[in-house]
Amino acid sequence: MDLNFIKDPAFLKQYSVEQLESFADEIREFLIQTLSKTGGHLGPNLGVVELTLALHKEFNSPEDKFIWDVGHQSYIHKILTGRTNQFNTLKKYKGLSGFPKRMESEHDHWETGHSSTSLSAAMGMAIARDLKGQDHYVVPIIGDGALTGGMALEALNHIGHEKKNLTVILNDNEMSIAPNVGALHNVLGRLRSANKYHWFKDELESFMKRIPAFGGKLAQTAEHLKDGMKSFILPGMFFEELGFTYYGPVDGHNFENLIENIRYAKKTEGPVIVHVITKKGKGYHPAEQDKVGTWHGVGPYKIESGESLKKKGKGPAWSQVISDALSKIARKNEKVVAITPAMTVGSKLEKFKKEFPDRLYDVGIAEQHATTLSGGLATQGMKPFLSIYSTFLQRGYDQVVHDVCRQNLNVVFGIDRAGLVGADGETHQGVFDISFMRHIPNMVVMMPKDENEGQHMVYTAIEYNEGPIAIRYPRGNAKGIEVDETFKSIPIGSWEVLKEGHDGVILTFGTTIDMALKASEQLEQSGISIRVVNARFIKPLDEKMLKEIFSENIPVLTLEEHVLQGGFGSAVVEFAEERNLLGKICMKRMGIPDQFIEHGSVSELWDEIGLTTNEVVNSLKELIPNKLGLEQG
């Protein structure tokens, strides 16, 4: 079949098991071929081919509501709903999103870039369905990694209490991005070993009914016997104790088993969990053999060998820079402990884990717990380093405020993926953390210009003993410069002048420093002298330097890869306003406007929002004549 001709999944209703198996092979071949050129979430999608086909065969999308959690496992769903011809644009600028997107298709009912949200959303949809007198299925498909998130457990508790009709598909591949951790993961492991429980339960009751004379009486006690068998066969009966009917474990690559159990689930009143066992990366050997999450999300690769075709940056990955510095410090400071919410691989902490197995805690997808756990460590004199993506830190915001900052605890926040991340799009762009960290009392926020300054900031943060402190660092590679052998502390709240100038000043930090330097060089050719300041401390500001700049009465441009509302530029404006200087200075802020930024390369996104060298040059040209005009007047 030419996958490009597929408009909707209705044709699957007529497919036999043999046809489905052949079609599954076609889809896997398409994914392997296509993603070798575009990159994308290969491993998760190879694991759910049969599951997705079975779901679309047995349910009626879009009337029935599928919710994919996390949404990176929705590629087959996108193929079946008419988007195959867009896959060459996958995760590219203005192209096909790597996650479900409501504006893309009527078959996408919920957008899931972050995990563990599907059950709550599904419960909302089920309540709305019942209030409106409708009759359709709501089907969240949640991974075993996502199920460890606290929000998912809260939803399970509520769903089991309300007894709404929901069909939960638990896609259990024993991994989220990397191998899962935690007690709930171990519960699922025990469930995996308990095959054919419901088949046995039904056969037991049927057998008892067939016994002459005594069969009816025995059948009346069947429920008691079955309950006893539950406790014997399925230790703890975790889901059924929560109020769900449990089906499984089901072989997620066997169509007959999948279809049989989905049909059981559809006939069952109340909430149901169908526990499906899948193999991440199935059908592509390099991905099947992956035990650490390398093939979770990949760039272009050679199909024959699996070798990456991604061009290597000049320097090491920023995550590696920070992790290596932390390891070096930890060798001499036994109080250093690393914590991460399921991002050991993403934040390059594997070496730290190997060297300090007792001092790295991967808590799973549990950002709130990770934040408060870090606070608890700090109360006992330890030096916790919480390595967490910017957008994932959003999920632990209350704990940052209430548990860490309010108690002024010495927690170091390593904010990974700070700034635009590109292809993963609006759910992963790390452009809000300054706004939600800067306004909290006791918090220090900083961002380095290069890897040398980055390692010194890690050291500075570990040595800092006056409260919480955050280091922001971007996705991608550092510059590849030489780094100092010896660490040094950077004075808190200190900036540095990178290039002198007397006609105007650019205050910037991190990823936009190079942009500022290029703009300054271009303006120099026009006879305009622009100073560039590395405003590496976003909070506290370098008040001494700021006062000196404002006293010179020259234009000031703030430049940041972050939203303008509540960002660094806002902090500078607040500083000026508090000193009654706003009417006396000429100033402009440049950054990310009040909108969510979708996927594309970082350079394309910069162009779209006007965060470019040319725009910096033009903005300063506009500011400087105004300033010069005031001086002449």
Side-chain angles (χ1 to χ4, degrees):
M1 173 185 286
D2 186 339
L3 301 182
N4 288 296
F5 290 153
I6 297 174
K7 300 303 178 187
D8 64 66
F11 69 95
L12 291 173
K13 307 293 184 191
Q14 310 304 319
Y15 267 33
S16 65
V17 168
E18 292 74 18
Q19 288 173 307
L20 289 170
E21 290 171 346
S22 176
F23 190 41
D25 291 339
E26 288 182 52
I27 288 178
R28 280 201 172 87
E29 180 63 23
F30 171 80
L31 289 173
I32 293 167
Q33 291 286 342
T34 303
L35 269 61
S36 72
K37 301 180 181 69
T38 64
H41 288 94
L42 181 66
N45 284 283
L46 290 177
V48 296
V49 176
E50 288 86 359
L51 174 59
T52 309
L53 292 177
L55 288 171
H56 273 290
K57 177 178 172 63
E58 293 302 313
F59 291 98
N60 298 308
S61 179
E63 289 79 13
D64 296 330
K65 318 298 182 190
F66 291 134
I67 307 172
W68 300 91
D69 188 358
V70 178
H72 56 238
Q73 61 184 322
S74 64
Y75 290 10
I76 300 94
H77 167 77
K78 293 196 176 203
I79 291 170
L80 296 174
T81 52
R83 286 171 271 182
T84 305
N85 60 1
Q86 299 176 57
F87 263 80
N88 63 325
T89 70
L90 180 67
K91 301 177 75 172
K92 290 184 168 62
Y93 184 64
K94 301 297 184 183
L96 189 67
S97 173
F99 300 97
K101 195 77 173 167
R102 296 174 70 209
M103 64 184 297
E104 269 186 14
S105 172
E106 63 178 347
H107 296 271
D108 292 2
H109 298 283
W110 188 256
E111 298 181 7
T112 42
H114 290 184
S115 79
S116 313
T117 66
S118 61
L119 300 182
S120 297
M123 183 58 171
M125 293 179 190
I127 291 171
R129 173 200 62 200
D130 294 350
L131 289 173
K132 290 158 57 174
Q134 296 174 338
D135 182 22
H136 58 258
Y137 293 96
V138 180
V139 188
I141 303 100
I142 185 168
D144 53 320
L147 192 65
T148 65
M151 186 175 175
L153 300 179
E154 292 171 17
L156 282 177
N157 183 53
H158 184 217
I159 294 166
H161 172 73
E162 294 289 346
K163 301 294 184 183
K164 293 290 182 184
N165 287 337
L166 276 175
T167 306
V168 178
I169 307 297
L170 172 56
N171 173 31
D172 182 0
N173 61 22
E174 303 186 62
M175 298 178 77
S176 46
I177 291 177
N180 287 320
V181 297
L184 182 55
H185 170 64
N186 296 332
V187 169
L188 296 178
R190 292 195 294 273
L191 291 176
R192 291 181 205 112
S193 66
N195 285 304
K196 289 292 184 179
Y197 160 65
H198 271 279
W199 172 85
F200 178 82
K201 181 176 70 174
D202 292 342
E203 288 297 305
L204 177 66
E205 184 172 359
S206 176
F207 169 75
M208 288 187 290
K209 286 180 177 178
R210 290 197 301 269
I211 299 175
F214 299 103
K217 293 180 180 180
L218 285 173
Q220 292 174 8
T221 64
E223 289 303 317
H224 299 292
L225 290 172
K226 285 186 284 184
D227 287 342
M229 293 308 297
K230 288 177 187 178
S231 299
F232 175 71
I233 297 175
L234 299 180
M237 279 307 297
F238 179 78
F239 296 113
E240 297 222 4
E241 290 298 329
L242 282 172
F244 287 76
T245 300
Y246 173 85
Y247 291 99
V250 180
D251 182 349
H253 304 295
N254 182 302
F255 280 110
E256 291 180 346
N257 288 351
L258 283 167
I259 292 168
E260 176 187 19
N261 281 275
I262 290 170
R263 289 176 179 174
Y264 267 131
K266 289 174 70 176
K267 295 176 183 177
T268 304
E269 285 294 314
V272 178
I273 281 187
V274 181
H275 182 187
V276 179
I277 309 299
T278 61
K279 185 173 182 61
K280 201 169 184 178
K282 184 172 178 59
Y284 183 54
H285 184 72
E288 284 189 359
Q289 299 304 305
D290 177 25
K291 302 301 181 185
V292 296
T294 304
W295 283 91
H296 173 77
V298 295
Y301 56 90
K302 292 182 180 179
I303 294 175
E304 298 78 12
S305 63
E307 179 186 350
S308 174
L309 296 175
K310 185 179 180 181
K311 294 180 181 178
K312 293 184 178 179
K314 293 180 180 179
W318 264 107
S319 300
Q320 195 68 63
V321 169
I322 302 301
S323 178
D324 287 349
L326 189 67
S327 294
K328 189 175 179 180
I329 294 166
R331 292 181 192 118
K332 296 182 178 180
N333 187 341
E334 294 183 353
K335 293 182 177 181
V336 173
V337 179
I339 304 98
T340 182
M343 286 295 146
T344 301
V345 175
S347 289
K348 307 292 185 186
L349 289 165
E350 303 103 308
K351 291 180 182 178
F352 188 100
K353 180 180 180 180
K354 185 176 181 180
E355 187 171 356
F356 308 104
D358 295 333
R359 287 198 274 158
L360 183 135
Y361 291 88
D362 184 339
V363 302
I365 303 172
E367 294 85 0
Q368 293 173 310
H369 169 59
T371 305
T372 300
L373 181 153
S374 300
L377 280 164
T379 66
Q380 303 306 302
M382 304 302 286
K383 293 298 296 191
F385 185 97
L386 175 54
S387 180
I388 186 167
Y389 288 14
S390 172
T391 58
F392 298 162
L393 183 57
Q394 294 164 186
R395 311 182 79 172
Y397 176 72
D398 180 61
Q399 287 66 37
V400 174
V401 176
H402 181 273
D403 297 338
V404 176
C405 291
R406 188 181 57 82
Q407 300 186 82
N408 202 32
L409 300 177
N410 295 323
V411 174
V412 181
F413 293 89
I415 305 180
D416 201 346
R417 271 62 167 180
L420 294 172
V421 298
D424 281 336
E426 56 198 311
T427 58
H428 285 62
Q429 312 285 18
V431 297
F432 301 108
D433 58 87
I434 292 174
S435 296
F436 70 72
M437 299 286 271
R438 183 177 70 81
H439 69 263
I440 309 173
N442 299 324
M443 177 62 76
V444 172
V445 183
M446 54 186 174
M447 187 171 192
K449 67 179 185 294
D450 56 38
E451 56 263 56
N452 192 44
E453 191 168 70
Q455 67 164 1
H456 293 320
M457 282 189 174
V458 176
Y459 180 75
T460 300
I462 297 297
E463 291 295 302
Y464 183 70
N465 288 310
E466 296 181 30
I469 186 168
I471 312 168
R472 307 178 76 240
Y473 45 99
R475 185 179 186 178
N477 295 84
K479 295 181 178 180
I481 66 169
E482 289 187 18
V483 298
D484 299 333
E485 289 293 326
T486 305
F487 292 129
K488 64 181 181 182
S489 286
I490 302 171
I492 299 297
S494 65
W495 295 351
E496 64 172 349
V497 176
L498 300 177
K499 187 176 183 297
E500 291 289 355
H502 56 266
D503 292 327
V505 181
I506 303 174
L507 304 177
T508 190
F509 55 90
T511 52
T512 48
I513 283 178
D514 286 346
M515 186 187 300
L517 289 170
K518 289 177 183 176
S520 178
E521 290 166 4
Q522 285 187 27
L523 286 164
E524 199 166 35
Q525 295 172 9
S526 303
I528 300 173
S529 173
I530 298 297
R531 189 182 314 162
V532 177
V533 174
N534 174 20
R536 56 195 174 189
F537 281 91
I538 299 152
K539 183 185 179 184
L541 304 175
D542 189 331
E543 295 192 3
K544 181 181 178 182
M545 185 180 291
L546 259 184
K547 288 176 183 177
E548 291 172 355
I549 290 169
F550 288 151
S551 70
E552 296 177 51
N553 201 27
I554 56 177
V556 175
L557 177 73
T558 64
L559 178 63
E560 59 190 306
E561 190 182 75
H562 188 274
V563 294
L564 288 168
Q565 283 82 352
F568 167 72
S570 294
V572 176
V573 170
E574 290 161 11
F575 178 87
E577 187 272 334
E578 289 166 2
R579 288 155 183 81
N580 297 315
L581 296 172
L582 282 182
K584 303 173 185 177
I585 60 172
C586 189
M587 184 176 167
K588 180 175 181 177
R589 297 175 303 139
M590 287 186 66
I592 294 174
D594 186 21
Q595 66 188 68
F596 288 104
I597 307 300
E598 297 192 2
H599 53 280
S601 69
V602 172
S603 61
E604 288 171 327
L605 299 176
W606 277 359
D607 286 340
E608 180 183 279
I609 61 178
L611 202 61
T612 64
T613 299
N614 286 339
E615 288 299 321
V616 173
V617 168
N618 292 335
S619 293
L620 284 164
K621 284 181 176 179
E622 291 173 2
L623 288 174
I624 289 170
N626 292 338
K627 177 66 181 67
L628 294 177
L630 286 172
E631 288 181 340
Q632 292 167 2

